[in-house]
């Protein structure tokens, strides 16, 4: 055998080392790429705020820069020609006391004696509340003893009184303080004591809420039925908590569907499409305005309108991530501004809708092209978001062809805002029974506000009817006589 050349052995050894180093470099490069992606993801999360995500403005850290609106050149406050809002004088027949102040004897300007004719007096009204005292009614049920068996029989309480310590209006006030004004049970207890002189225990407040929740079951169900027949609706959902699991609050969701005169709230452990289908009904055929949440994707895209406020946040997130996606995001923002400028002119009556409809196809095509470019050229997360938006592309423009439909879901978000504040102060509900009260009182209060009806008067009537076993008043809007004449 020929001896092994030391040079060849050394070459083989070095080649093996090079191969190992190549493997190590490849592993390190892969790890570096993974870490870079993770850092980019974490930086993206750290940079999230109300302008580029669904986070509320209240969560923004100090110094967050929001997109500035161009200066209008107008001074702050009411503008010339705007409708004045002021407290109107109470009609004379509702005034409890009148004080007449005699006219002066001499002119305020020239000090000459006043001997001319009297003019209409200036009216000034002050409003005061008399000391509030609870009205207590004592029912004395008289009885007689039976001469035969010795048993004592007493007269029966009226059906609306039996089993109830607190009257109908007071019960309405209790639930209004907790459901509308978001007071905790202890705060309700304090308010009743301080304002009305009524002392009540915490358990009685819970019992009144349960009673009212039961009373409102039928009218709230009627609201749901009416919404399923509506021509257009807005839907939204927000986080909630119901009860506890292993000592921690259990996640739930509060949903709302709202029309011009009706609002329906629902608390559910799910954020899935089955809840949206139950609220709207699978046979719903109206126009539906929502964000891009997948729970609404079962609905016909051509009857759906995406919220452009949410799309604006998506485009801003493109810009904030930078790169090619950032450039495309800036172009999308320009098209967005062009669309809103035209739509506001239509809304204000300075542009005919026909002209707006003629201008929009160019904007639609440019937005579609930019989104498709983002799918191909942008970074992974931006490309993914663009692809998701394109799946619902037609729903971006429904408002262009349907008069009265808005390009945002601001109406739905404003409606659910009160519930968000309720959650922040109450930390949700402790049981399904508590959730039923919250969703029903929110439905009643919001619906009556939309119809400009008195909430306390309705709650008082609802409790009274429930206690007497009568039908509870409806929450559905009553048509004006002129509307009935037109329908006839």
């Amino acid at each position: 055998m020929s001896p092994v050349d030391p040079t060849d052995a050394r070459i083989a050894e070095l080649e093996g080392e090079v191969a190992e180093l190549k493997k190590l470099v490849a592993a390190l490069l892969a790890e570096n790429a993974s870490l870079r992606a993770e850092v980019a993801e974490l930086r993206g999360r750290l940079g999230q705020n109300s302008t580029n995500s669904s986070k509320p403005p209240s969560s923004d850290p100090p110094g967050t820069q929001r997109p500035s609106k161009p200066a209008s050149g107008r001074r702050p406050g009411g503008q010339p020609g705007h409708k004045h809002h002021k407290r109107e004088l109470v009609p004379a027949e509702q005034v409890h006391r009148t004080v007449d102040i005699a006219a002066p004897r001499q002119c305020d300007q020239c000090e000459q004696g006043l001997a001319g004719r009297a003019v209409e007096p200036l009216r000034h009204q002050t409003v005061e509340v008399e000391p509030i005292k609870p009205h207590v009614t004592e029912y004395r049920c008289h009885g007689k003893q039976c001469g035969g068996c010795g048993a004592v029989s007493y007269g029966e309480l009226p059906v609306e009184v039996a089993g109830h310590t607190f009257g109908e209006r007071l019960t309405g006030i209790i639930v209004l303080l907790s459901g509308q004004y978001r007071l905790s049970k202890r705060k309700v207890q304090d308010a009743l004591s301080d304002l009305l002189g009524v002392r009540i225990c915490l358990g009685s407040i819970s019992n009144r809420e349960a009673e009212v929740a039961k009373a409102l079951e039928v009218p709230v169900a009627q609201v749901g039925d009416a919404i399923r027949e509506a021509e257009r609706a807005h839907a939204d959902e927000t986080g909630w908590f119901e009860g506890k699991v292993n000592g921690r609050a259990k996640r739930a969701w509060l949903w709302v569907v709202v029309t011009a005169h009706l609002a329906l709230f629902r608390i559910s452990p799910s954020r899935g499409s089955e809840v949206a289908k139950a609220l709207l009904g699978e046979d719903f055929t109206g126009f539906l305005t929502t964000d891009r949440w997948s729970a609404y994707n079962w609905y016909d895209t051509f009857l759906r309108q995406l919220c452009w406020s949410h799309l604006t946040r998506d485009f801003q997130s493109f810009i904030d991530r930078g790169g090619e996606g950032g450039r495309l995001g800036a172009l999308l923002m320009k098209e967005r501004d062009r669309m809103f400028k035209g739509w506001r002119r239509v809304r204000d009556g300075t542009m005919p809708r026909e002209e707006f409809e003629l201008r929009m196809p160019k904007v639609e095509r440019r937005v579609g092209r930019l989104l498709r470019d983002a799918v191909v050229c942008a970074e992974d997360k931006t490309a993914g978001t663009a692809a998701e938006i394109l799946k619902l592309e037609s729903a971006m423009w429904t408002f262009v062809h349907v008069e009265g439909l808005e390009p945002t879901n601001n109406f739905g978000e404003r409606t659910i805002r009160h519930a968000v504040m309720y959650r922040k102060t109450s930390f949700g509900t402790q049981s399904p029974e508590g959730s039923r009260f919250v969703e029903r009182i929110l439905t009643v209060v919001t619906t009556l506000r939309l119809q400009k009806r008195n909430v306390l008067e309705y709650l008082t009537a609802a409790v009274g009817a429930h206690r007497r076993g009568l039908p509870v008043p409806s929450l559905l809007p009553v048509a004006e006589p002129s509307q009935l004449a037109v329908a006839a």
Side-chain angles (χ1 to χ4, degrees), residues 302-370:
F302 293 96
L303 293 176
R304 185 175 168 191
Q305 173 60 53
L306 290 186
C307 175
W308 270 84
S309 294
H310 287 77
L311 292 173
T312 298
R313 298 172 197 167
D314 291 329
F315 299 160
Q316 185 61 47
S317 70
F318 292 3
I319 296 171
D320 293 343
R321 292 190 196 108
E324 179 64 14
R327 185 186 70 83
L328 294 171
L331 295 175
L332 284 165
M333 277 294 199
K334 289 183 179 180
E335 298 303 324
R336 173 258 187 200
D337 292 343
R338 187 175 285 111
M339 178 277 291
F340 268 116
K341 182 178 180 181
W343 177 76
R344 290 189 183 104
R345 290 187 60 191
V346 172
R347 183 189 60 188
D348 298 340
T350 57
M351 176 189 289
R353 167 165 280 277
E354 294 76 12
E355 182 180 347
F356 177 70
E357 292 181 3
L358 290 174
R359 291 186 180 188
M360 280 301 101
K362 291 183 180 179
V363 177
E364 294 178 29
R365 288 193 293 271
R366 284 193 289 261
V367 169
R369 184 177 66 252
L370 289 169

Side-chain angles (χ1 to χ4, degrees), residues 191-334:
L192 293 174
S193 177
D194 295 340
L195 299 177
L196 306 180
V198 174
R199 302 182 67 178
I200 185 172
C201 67
L202 298 178
S204 293
I205 297 175
S206 297
N207 292 339
R208 300 286 68 73
E209 292 178 350
E211 179 190 6
V212 171
K214 182 65 176 176
L216 298 177
E217 182 177 4
V218 172
V220 168
Q222 292 173 345
V223 169
D225 293 339
I227 284 178
R228 295 182 189 100
E229 300 296 327
E231 294 182 358
R232 59 193 64 184
H234 295 252
D236 201 7
E237 72 291 326
T238 186
W240 193 262
F241 299 103
E242 182 185 277
K244 293 184 177 180
V245 176
N246 299 325
R248 301 189 65 179
K250 183 181 178 183
R251 189 66 163 169
W253 299 92
L254 186 141
W255 295 70
V256 67
V257 178
V258 59
T259 67
H261 299 103
L262 299 170
L264 179 66
F265 288 83
R266 179 74 54 82
I267 296 175
S268 172
S270 170
R271 200 188 179 193
S273 60
E274 69 277 6
V275 184
K277 291 178 181 179
L279 286 170
L280 291 162
E282 296 191 43
D283 297 330
F284 181 70
T285 57
F287 293 101
L288 179 64
T289 303
T290 70
D291 55 23
R292 289 195 300 107
W293 178 237
S294 59
Y296 306 106
N297 287 351
W298 59 274
Y299 198 61
D300 189 341
T301 309
F302 293 96
L303 293 176
R304 185 175 168 191
Q305 173 60 53
L306 290 186
C307 175
W308 270 84
S309 294
H310 287 77
L311 292 173
T312 298
R313 298 172 197 167
D314 291 329
F315 299 160
Q316 185 61 47
S317 70
F318 292 3
I319 296 171
D320 293 343
R321 292 190 196 108
E324 179 64 14
R327 185 186 70 83
L328 294 171
L331 295 175
L332 284 165
M333 277 294 199
K334 289 183 179 180

Side-chain angles (χ1 to χ4, degrees), residues 353-481:
R353 167 165 280 277
E354 294 76 12
E355 182 180 347
F356 177 70
E357 292 181 3
L358 290 174
R359 291 186 180 188
M360 280 301 101
K362 291 183 180 179
V363 177
E364 294 178 29
R365 288 193 293 271
R366 284 193 289 261
V367 169
R369 184 177 66 252
L370 289 169
L371 287 171
R372 288 174 176 80
D373 289 345
V375 171
V376 176
C377 305
E379 294 70 27
D380 290 346
K381 190 165 185 178
T382 297
T385 302
E388 291 299 318
I389 295 174
L390 283 171
K391 291 179 182 179
L392 304 169
E393 184 177 9
S394 62
M396 297 171 65
W397 309 103
T398 309
F399 77 99
V400 175
H401 314 289
V402 180
E403 188 171 358
L405 201 64
E406 296 192 358
T408 70
N409 195 28
N410 292 349
F411 182 41
E413 293 189 351
R414 286 195 303 269
T415 303
I416 208 171
R417 180 62 179 165
H418 171 73
V420 173
M421 300 303 296
Y422 193 114
R423 181 197 67 210
K424 289 180 179 291
T425 55
S426 67
F427 305 103
T429 46
Q430 300 302 315
S431 65
E433 291 76 17
S435 294
R436 299 295 80 75
F437 166 72
V438 170
E439 64 188 24
R440 288 172 188 173
I441 195 67
L442 289 177
T443 295
V444 169
V445 168
T446 308
T447 294
L448 293 177
R449 295 295 188 200
L450 290 172
Q451 298 176 24
K452 295 180 171 55
R453 292 166 62 183
N454 188 285
V455 180
L456 180 57
E457 294 302 324
Y458 176 86
L459 290 173
T460 302
V463 173
H466 178 67
R467 289 180 177 180
R468 292 170 176 79
L470 301 174
V472 177
S474 173
L475 287 167
L476 302 183
V478 178
E480 297 291 338

